[in-house]
Structures are given as structure tokens and as C-alpha cells.
Amino acid sequence: MVAMGELWATVGSVMATVMFVSAIFKQYFPYHLWHYVERYSHKLVRFVYPYIEVTFDEFSGDRLKHSEVFSAIQTYLSGKASLHASRFKADVIKDSRSVVLSMDAKEEVADEFKGVKVWWVLGKRTPKTQSFSFYPASEERRYYKLTFHKRYRELITEAYINHVLDGGKAITVQNRQRKLYSNNPSKNWYGWRSTKWSHVFFEHPATFDTLAMETKKKEEIKKDLKKFSEGKEYYAKIGKAWKRGYLLYGPPGTGKSTMIAAMANFLNYDVYDLELTTVKNNTELRTLLIDTSSKAIIVIEDIDCSLDLTGQREKKKEKDGDEEEKNPIEKKAKEEEDSKKSKVTLSGLLNFIDGLWSACGGERIIVFTTNYADKLDPALIRRGRMDKHIEMSYCCFEAFKMLAKNYLDIETHEFYADIESLLAETNMTPADVAENLMPKSDEDDVETCLKNLIEALKAAKEEARKKAQEEAR
């Protein structure tokens, strides 16, 4: 016991001496001399230390984009961490019903591949130049470090790393909890855990099976979506970014938002609800695009109301003449008002959809919704940008039968003939039909709800007739 104590005391003394000498050497000897000593000492260590280290950073580039490789490794190691690590970070997935444990910072987890043992460590880096900040943790950069014996270099770099990435992606798909994102104003992009997008779990129940639309039209859309999701190699072959645009147009209440939810549930994609009025300029718009993930639907609802994109070309010509007529006070007020408005231009939006920046990432669907497609600039909705135009029309008899099945659990009824006749003569949105079919109390039965719908259809028919007479006069 005494000998062991003396041994540790000697080791501690040697380490302290080495650290002291190293500090003195760095402080008083020229940098280039210290650089040579450091370089040759590393070579000496490599003779004694037969291990190789590979680092995987959390962010690629200049922190512009979260590394998918880092995320895949994190997911793969989550199962290993629960068996070997002693400190964990807990994440809730699958509709807040399941908890996944992942390794915490500075934890080491061992793994084995084809009889070869490797070690993973989660580390953090802080910038060398420290600055005063209320949010110091926001400057930390995480990374995973993989350590293995150098004799297995080829096996680990060629086979094991691919095994880890494939395993992590498979677990991600299995545990995927879809999210609904909303963009934050740029003033909130920085600081403690601030992000460009905030999210909630996406739990909308709409599916194509419950969507009130003609069966043939639904099947056509489903086939188009499936073809797109499986088309990675095809898009690469034809030299086109792996994205697709959908324009949903029609009167209010015809199910445009429900269609988006059904698309997301069918493809198992996240939804990014982009609010253009909070985006200051085209640069911010591109930054938001870079920060979206693959397997995503980017939605701009009511695009004809989001920004004044329809008349920019004409107004630009009239701008100079209008400014000359304003007095200085009005001009100053106008400038202050304009400074608060979004500077996103039609050109910037077109580049966002179909320009060079649209190829940053893949497997994205861009959806525009509008009540008035004729108000949009033709360049915005041409094929290649909005590849598929889907009209969300008034309720037809086939859509009604789907609503009746959803709301009343019936396939047919003696009132169906009257309803079919009235729907052919009356424009009523699926939202209005659904409202009339929904029981308002426990006393409302199937017959009551169908009668309510018939009365509503008759009233709408009479109102349309009177309106037509007034317009004729």
C-alpha cells in the first residue's frame, strides 16, 4: 500500500513538473520554436498511442446548418447510452408518451462492430476569444469524438461509420414525431437557445381517407405525392432540385388547410408555416430556407394577402412621381411606415422557390394557398414553380357522402336523393356542409342533421336566386 502511494505521488510530481515546464516554454520561447516542439511531440505520441480519433461537429459550415451526420450519431448512440452511460439527457417523443435517453456531455460510451471495440465521447468547445455575454452557452459547439485502434482504420472509416449513420436514420424514422414549425422574427434569432423556427408537435388528424373530395381526385394527388417522395434518383438524373410545388386555390372553407394536413400525414413530413410578413428581406428568407429540414412541407397560406406581390412591377414605375407630390412630413411618416414593412420582393420569393438556393437540401414540398389564383403574378405560379394546381371547389355529392360517413356513420339514406339534387344546383363549401351535419346535442339524430342540411341548401339556393335577380336588374 505504501509503495502504491509513493508511485502515485511520483506520477503526480512528474505531471506537475511537465505542466510547469510547458507553461514556461510557451511564455518565454518564440512561437515558431514551440510549434516545432509541439509538432514533433505529437509524432512521438503517435508511436506510443496507437489510437485514431475522428470528430463529428454539430454544425456544418459557419453554423449555418445543423449536421445530419451529428443527428444520426446522436440517435444511434441513444440506445447504447441507456446501457453504459451514467449521466443522461431525456427527450420526449411519440406524442409525449415515450422517453428516449441520450448521453450527456463528456460521457463516454463503448460500442462493438465485428469484434472491434470503439469509444464515443460527447464533447463541447468554447471559442478561444471569450466575450462578455448573458448567454454564454449559446457559443458552445458540441461534437462527437470516435476513438479506435489504428489497425482497424479501413473497417471503421468505410463500414462502421456507414453502419452508424444508417442505424441512426432508421431509428429516427421509427421514432419520428412530426412537428409544425413557425418562423420567428429575426430579432429573436439570437440569444439563449433562440432559433429561427419554433415548433409544436403536429397532431392534426386529417387524412386522405377523411378528406371531403372526389375519390378519383384524391387518388391522383396521392400517386403524385408518392412518386415525388420516391424520386430522389430521378430528380438527380434530370438535373432538378428534389422539390415540388403545389398551388391550392378555391373559395374559403373548401379544405385547403385540411388538404395540407392530409399531405403531411400521408408522407410523414414536418410542416413549416412561413409567415412572410415577419421576414424583413430576401436574405432572411434564404436563411429560413437553409434552416428547414428535408421531408418537409413549406406552406405560405393566403399568399395573395401575405405581401403585395401582385402589383410590384407596376408600382415601381409610379414610385418616383408619387414621392414628389408628398410634403416632407408625410414623406417622413411614409418612410417610417415602410421601414417596418417586409422588404421581401417577388424576385426574392421566386428565387426562394426555384432559384439556386432552392437546391440547398432536398425532399421538400412548397405549398401556396389562395382564394383568388387570378390575382397572383403568372411567374409565381407557372409550372416548374407550382408544378401541380389543385382546385378546392364547392362540395359535390361524393364529398358529401364522405362527410356523412365521418360525421354520422352512415353510408346511405332516403334523403340522399334530395341532397344530391340540391348540391348540383347550389354552391356550398364542405365546411358549411360539415357544420350542418354535426350533431349539436345528444337529441340530434341522423335524420335531424340531414334535414338541417337540406334546409340550409334550400336557403342558399334561394339566396343565390335573389342575388342573381339583383345583378340582372
Side-chain angles (χ1 to χ4, degrees):
M1 181 66 69
V2 175
M4 182 61 70
E6 292 177 353
L7 176 62
W8 282 113
T10 303
V11 170
S13 176
V14 170
M15 291 179 64
T17 303
V18 170
M19 292 174 65
F20 175 75
V21 172
S22 175
I24 295 297
F25 202 87
K26 282 184 177 181
Q27 185 172 359
Y28 293 104
F29 283 77
Y31 170 76
H32 65 276
L33 182 60
W34 169 245
H35 174 70
Y36 281 116
V37 172
E38 189 175 33
R39 188 174 68 179
Y40 286 110
S41 64
H42 285 167
K43 289 184 178 181
L44 180 62
V45 168
R46 279 199 292 269
F47 284 109
V48 183
Y49 184 76
Y51 292 94
I52 294 175
E53 297 178 350
V54 182
T55 301
F56 302 88
D57 290 313
E58 183 176 9
F59 293 94
S60 59
D62 189 20
R63 290 187 66 115
L64 285 177
K65 189 176 181 182
H66 196 281
S67 171
E68 294 184 3
V69 173
F70 181 91
S71 300
I73 294 171
Q74 185 178 41
T75 305
Y76 173 82
L77 292 177
S78 61
K80 309 290 181 182
S82 61
L83 297 176
H84 303 290
S86 57
R87 291 184 297 118
F88 303 97
K89 178 184 175 183
D91 294 304
V92 181
I93 62 167
K94 285 289 183 185
D95 302 325
S96 304
R97 291 193 294 267
S98 301
V99 176
V100 171
L101 301 177
S102 57
M103 57 195 294
D104 202 356
K106 299 181 182 179
E107 276 291 293
E108 181 179 89
V109 171
D111 192 19
E112 189 170 321
F113 179 72
K114 295 183 178 181
V116 178
K117 194 171 185 180
V118 300
W119 295 267
W120 290 93
V121 175
L122 176 62
K124 290 183 178 181
R125 292 195 191 95
T126 54
K128 293 182 180 179
T129 56
Q130 296 292 333
S131 59
F132 177 77
S133 173
F134 289 105
Y135 315 105
S138 64
E139 299 177 349
E140 293 179 340
R141 303 188 183 191
R142 298 188 301 169
Y143 63 91
Y144 279 106
K145 183 170 69 176
L146 169 63
T147 306
F148 56 91
H149 199 283
K150 63 182 180 182
R151 73 166 66 102
Y152 304 114
R153 177 195 296 265
E154 186 174 346
L155 175 67
I156 300 302
T157 56
E158 294 183 4
Y160 174 69
I161 292 178
N162 288 333
H163 164 74
V164 171
L165 299 183
D166 293 340
K169 291 175 182 177
I171 296 172
T172 299
V173 172
Q174 180 182 350
N175 296 334
R176 183 176 175 83
Q177 171 62 60
R178 285 170 297 112
K179 297 172 182 177
L180 173 61
Y181 291 87
S182 177
N183 56 302
N184 298 320
S186 58
K187 64 181 180 180
N188 299 331
W189 287 4
Y190 310 99
W192 173 249
R193 297 194 182 279
S194 296
T195 59
K196 298 173 182 64
W197 297 91
S198 56
H199 72 267
V200 296
F201 290 132
F202 183 79
E203 299 175 346
H204 200 293
T207 65
F208 278 103
D209 293 334
T210 61
L211 193 63
M213 180 182 281
E214 301 95 319
T215 303
K216 182 179 179 181
K217 195 171 183 179
K218 285 195 290 187
E219 290 302 319
E220 178 188 338
I221 297 169
K222 287 167 65 176
K223 288 179 182 177
D224 190 82
L225 291 169
K226 190 172 187 296
K227 182 73 174 175
F228 166 79
S229 65
E230 298 172 351
K232 181 178 182 179
E233 294 181 0
Y234 176 75
Y235 277 82
K237 175 186 173 184
I238 63 176
K240 186 177 179 181
W242 191 14
K243 65 171 187 60
R244 190 156 177 81
Y246 284 77
L247 175 67
L248 308 182
Y249 65 97
T254 50
K256 294 184 286 294
S257 298
T258 307
M259 168 64 79
I260 295 169
M263 292 167 66
N265 287 326
F266 179 72
L267 294 172
N268 198 26
Y269 282 9
D270 293 326
V271 178
Y272 287 81
D273 184 15
L274 178 59
E275 178 55 58
L276 282 179
T277 56
T278 65
V279 184
K280 283 187 177 180
N281 50 48
N282 297 334
T283 302
E284 287 189 4
L285 187 62
R286 290 194 297 266
T287 304
L288 287 169
L289 175 65
I290 292 173
D291 210 46
T292 59
S293 64
S294 59
K295 294 185 180 294
I297 300 177
I298 303 173
V299 181
I300 303 179
E301 293 201 87
D302 297 318
I303 190 168
D304 53 306
C305 303
S306 297
L307 289 175
D308 185 14
L309 300 170
T310 56
Q312 285 185 351
R313 298 180 180 181
E314 289 78 9
K315 288 184 178 180
K316 189 174 181 180
K317 299 176 183 178
E318 303 170 2
K319 183 177 180 181
D320 296 335
D322 292 342
E323 288 182 352
E324 291 177 1
E325 296 176 2
K326 291 186 176 69
N327 60 49
I329 297 178
E330 290 179 348
K331 188 175 179 180
K332 182 66 174 177
K334 181 74 166 104
E335 289 176 355
E336 291 179 357
E337 183 181 350
D338 289 343
S339 65
K340 298 177 182 179
K341 291 182 179 179
S342 173
K343 299 296 190 301
V344 174
T345 64
L346 179 61
S347 174
L349 188 58
L350 295 181
N351 288 329
F352 172 84
I353 301 167
D354 194 36
L356 294 174
W357 289 91
S358 66
C360 297
E363 201 170 356
R364 293 193 185 105
I365 290 177
I366 301 174
V367 179
F368 290 167
T369 71
T370 179
N371 297 335
Y372 309 100
D374 55 341
K375 288 186 176 181
L376 299 178
D377 193 298
L380 189 63
I381 59 175
R382 69 161 174 82
R383 307 295 177 175
R385 289 186 175 127
M386 293 294 105
D387 304 283
K388 192 169 183 63
H389 296 190
I390 301 174
E391 182 180 7
M392 307 297 292
S393 57
Y394 292 104
C395 189
C396 62
F397 182 62
E398 191 173 356
F400 155 75
K401 289 194 293 183
M402 176 58 67
L403 291 171
K405 181 180 179 181
N406 293 340
Y407 284 79
L408 302 176
D409 293 322
I410 59 173
E411 298 283 350
T412 185
H413 195 275
E414 59 181 329
F415 290 160
Y416 271 28
D418 294 336
I419 294 173
E420 182 177 10
S421 176
L422 287 167
L423 283 173
E425 302 171 352
T426 310
N427 289 334
M428 181 174 282
T429 65
D432 289 331
V433 172
E435 180 61 26
N436 284 285
L437 289 177
M438 182 180 290
K440 305 302 187 295
S441 66
D442 294 336
E443 289 76 22
D444 288 352
D445 56 10
V446 171
E447 189 169 326
T448 302
C449 294
L450 292 177
K451 285 182 177 179
N452 290 340
L453 176 60
I454 291 173
E455 292 300 320
L457 286 169
K458 288 180 178 178
K461 181 180 178 181
E462 180 64 20
E463 184 179 349
R465 186 187 64 81
K466 292 180 179 178
K467 185 177 181 181
Q469 288 180 346
E470 290 178 1
E471 290 177 351
R473 287 198 295 269

